[in-house]
Amino acid sequence: MATTRQNVLITGASSGLGAEMARQLAAKGHDLALCARRTEKLDTIKTGILAADPGRRVEVRALDVNDDDQVFEVFRAFQKDFGTIDRVIINAGLGKGAPIGTGRYDANRETAMTNFVAALAQSEAAMEIFRAQESGHFVMISSMSAFRGMPKTMTTYAATKAGVAHIAEGLRNEMYGKPIKVTVLYPGYIASEMNERVDPNKVKGMVSTEKGVRSMIDAIEKEKDSACVPPLPWAPMSVVMKHAPLGVLKRLM
Ligand SMILES: NC(=O)c1ccc[n+]([C@@H]2O[C@H](COP(=O)([O-])OP(=O)(O)OC[C@H]3O[C@@H](n4cnc5c(N)ncnc54)[C@H](OP(=O)(O)O)[C@@H]3O)[C@@H](O)[C@H]2O)c1
């Protein structure tokens, strides 16, 4: 690969996949710009990374991705800290939701705003930096649920994840042949705060945070266009989810 993508900005880095991506990328020698609302958690992650490797640089900042102005301020401040931001991982997300039409527009709206509108703001802020630098690696964390409209509590969440995948794919289309790369990851079930109340016996294919994130980092470092992570069972499952007749799909899932 032509570049090391030394300085990596991760949103939603205070827990789950974001925190573990920070740890695994630091172990590979990357320096990190980490943000989320819970800065005490970011500080703990920073302390752990520096204890393992005092040579790493880790900067942390408070960010609520639903505050548009703050998204641009924080991304620009990180760019000033490091000189360049070589990779941005748009990861902050929310798993709230209720069946549509059951009186919980508030929960579905919150998910739509955090997972889609705020991801658009993060995309704007990241691409502003990459366009000025004329280089960068844009990484969007979507979800396996993006491959098909999902029922009940998942309907809005899945729609946001399809939406953010399309933002990234649109950027890849625009950047074709140019030095700005775009990756979309479609995680299956990976243990995190988001699904800590889910019974692991009731969901097929749940993996540990460490294992799931290892395959995310593998796809990110290879700068794949897109990847279902972990690849098994999710890459073949994506074809089924996209193309199986609904009656067949409902018997499988
Ligand atoms: N785990 C899975 O199985 C799975 C599967 C598919 C996709 N994903 C996606 O992976 C990403 C990470 O999720 P996770 O599983 O690691 O869940 P998680 O442990 O709940 O982490 C979510 C992260 O997003 C941040 N976040 C949420 N709302 C935010 C806001 N308004 N402003 C800033 N940061 C915010 C949280 O930080 P603060 O609360 O500190 O702000 C936290 O760091 C999400 O986009 C999720 O949709 C996860």
Side-chain angles (χ1 to χ4, degrees), residues 12-18 36-38 63-66 91-94 114-115 141-144 157 161 187-195:
S14 60
S15 68
L17 311 189
R37 291 166 300 182
R38 292 171 295 172
L63 174 61
D64 180 341
V65 293
N66 288 314
N91 168 73
L94 196 67
T114 304
N115 290 7
I141 307 302
S142 175
S143 160
M144 282 302 299
Y157 177 83
K161 291 299 179 179
Y189 288 119
I190 301 173
S192 76
E193 277 184 18
M194 191 177 282
N195 51 37

